[in-house]
Amino acid sequence: MNVKTGSLFWVNTLPSPSSYPKLTKDVQCDVLIIGGGEAGSLCSFYLVNSGLDTVLVDKRQVAHGSSSANTGLLQFANDKSLTSMINTFGEDRGARFYWMCKQAVEELQHITTQLELSPDYIQRSSLYYASQPEDVQSLQTEYNWLSKYGFPVTLLQSDEIKERYSFSKPAALYSEGDGEFNPFKLVHSLLQHAHKKGMSIYAETEIIHHALEGSTLVFYTAEGNCIRCKKAIFATGYETQQIKRNKTVMLSSSYALVTKPLPSFTGWYERSLIWETARPYLYLRTTVDNRIVAGGLDIDSFDEQERDFHLQHKAKLLLEQVQSLFPGIPDMHIEYSWAATFGETHDGLPLIGTQPDFPQCYFLLGYGGNGTVSTMVGAQIIHDLIIKGFHTDAHLVAFART
C-alpha cells in the first residue's frame, strides 16, 4: 500500500538519519513492535524504559510511512469536538477522553526534553475559527463545555481576531498549551533513544505471517527468518486495514504543502496553529526555518491514482487559501507538496487494544486528524496493558467499545 506521494519536506530536514539493518537471523524477545513510525517509536520508548527486551521491525526504513507525511500539529482538541464527544458518549466519558488528550500533549512535550536529537518541538497556541456565521453558536457551546472542564481556552469575537490577525472571522476559540514538531525527527529521536538502551531495530524487514505455538508468538519474515516473542504490537498505521479490516474505519486522502522560507509572518499572531470549523478543514502552522505548512482539501477516495491525480491542483488551491488569509506575507511559493492516505473512525475515537483472532497481540491505530495525540494516548495504554494487565481508560478506545 502506497500511503503517500509527492515531494516530502520532513525527510530533507535530517540529512543523515540513522539507518538500521535487515533482519538476517532468528531472534527472540519479550515484545515485538511491527512498524517504525510514530506509534512504534512511542511504544518502544515506554517499553524499553520499563526494562522489557523489545525488538522493532519495519518493512521500510523507519519513519518512511505515514509519519513522513504527518504535518506535525500537536493539539488537545480533536476533529470531533468535546460537544460531539459528550453527545455521543455522555459527559463523563467525553470529557475524560479530552483530558487524556490534554495530558498526552503535556507528556509528549516532556518526552521531547529527554531526547538527544531534538524533534524541533515548540509550544504554540491554537486558533480554531468559525468558517461561517452559522458556526458561531457551535463554537459558543464548545467554549462552554471546555471552560466547564478547565481547558485553557478563550472565545474571541470578530474584532478581537482582527486585532491579532490579518483576517477577520465571525468568532474563534483560542487555546493555550498546544505545539508543533518535526514528526520525522521525533521518530528518529525516539528510536535512537530506545536503541541506545538496548532495543534491536531491523529495517527492510517485512512480516508475512505469524502463529501461536503454545504460549509463544512466532512471526515469520519474507526472508524466512522468525521472531519469537511473548507479546506483539501492530503499529502499522493505515496499512493495518490490509491485515485486519475494521468496519468502523474510513480511509480517504489528504493534501499538504510547505512553502519556501519566508522573511516574516505579518498578521500571524504568535505563529499559532490555525484550523477551522468547515469540513474538510484548512489547517496551518509554521516551521523552525520559517516556512508555512498547510493541509486539507481531503477527498473521500483513497485510490492511489485518483489521489495523485489531484495533487498539483490541490496544492495550488491550498496556497491560494493561505494567501487569502495572509495577504501581507510576501513571496509565498510552494517548495514541497504531497498527498497521503488518511484514516478516521465513525465515532471519532482511535482504535487501541486487542482484536479477535490475534491472541497476545495489541493494535495501536491512532486514526483521526489528531493522530499523534491519539497515538501518544495509545502508547501509554498498551504499555500498561502489557506491564500491569490493565489500564483504567482502555475501555474508551477499545475495539469492542459501546
Side-chain angles (χ1 to χ4, degrees), residues 28-32 47 51-55 198-200:
Q28 60 183 17
C29 57
D30 293 329
V31 182
L32 170 65
L47 295 176
L52 288 184
D53 180 14
T54 306
V55 169
M199 184 177 79
S200 297

Side-chain angles (χ1 to χ4, degrees), residues 31-232:
V31 182
L32 170 65
I33 301 173
I34 306 166
E38 278 189 0
S41 61
L42 283 167
C43 285
S44 72
F45 179 87
Y46 284 109
L47 295 176
V48 170
N49 284 354
S50 291
L52 288 184
D53 180 14
T54 306
V55 169
L56 182 144
V57 299
D58 195 301
K59 69 178 182 180
R60 306 176 179 90
Q61 281 296 328
V62 300
H64 275 79
S66 296
S67 295
S68 63
N70 187 332
T71 46
L73 284 76
L74 191 65
Q75 300 168 291
F76 69 78
N78 285 255
D79 285 9
K80 188 180 179 76
S81 66
L82 176 56
T83 305
S84 296
M85 288 280 183
I86 289 171
N87 289 338
T88 302
F89 301 108
E91 188 170 338
D92 291 343
R93 294 175 69 187
R96 177 58 191 154
F97 181 74
Y98 251 62
W99 264 112
M100 289 166 65
C101 291
K102 181 68 168 62
Q103 291 164 350
V105 170
E106 295 169 353
E107 172 70 0
L108 190 54
Q109 292 173 5
H110 176 65
I111 286 175
T112 61
T113 66
Q114 304 173 49
L115 303 175
E116 184 177 329
L117 172 65
S118 171
D120 296 338
Y121 172 79
I122 299 176
Q123 190 172 72
R124 297 290 191 196
S125 53
S126 289
L127 184 82
Y128 180 48
Y129 67 76
S131 304
Q132 54 189 0
E134 291 80 5
D135 298 334
V136 173
Q137 183 56 54
S138 63
L139 275 187
Q140 177 69 62
T141 303
E142 182 71 359
Y143 169 73
N144 293 341
W145 281 120
L146 290 169
S147 297
K148 177 179 179 179
Y149 284 97
F151 290 94
V153 62
T154 303
L155 181 63
L156 300 180
Q157 302 303 322
S158 178
D159 58 340
E160 295 173 297
I161 299 169
K162 195 170 184 178
E163 287 176 2
R164 304 183 186 197
Y165 296 88
S166 61
F167 53 84
S168 179
K169 297 296 176 180
L173 296 179
Y174 189 78
S175 305
E176 304 283 353
D178 291 332
E180 66 186 34
F181 67 100
N182 181 324
F184 191 73
K185 285 185 178 180
L186 177 67
V187 172
H188 275 281
S189 57
L190 287 166
L191 293 180
Q192 178 181 296
H193 172 90
H195 188 58
K196 286 187 174 182
K197 298 194 89 171
M199 184 177 79
S200 297
I201 301 174
Y202 300 100
E204 308 294 339
T205 300
E206 184 175 8
I207 299 295
I208 54 173
H209 68 91
H210 77 281
L212 182 64
E213 298 181 0
S215 61
T216 301
L217 287 167
V218 184
F219 286 81
Y220 298 89
T221 73
E223 302 296 326
N225 299 114
C226 67
I227 306 169
R228 297 179 179 275
C229 56
K230 301 172 185 176
K231 306 282 186 181

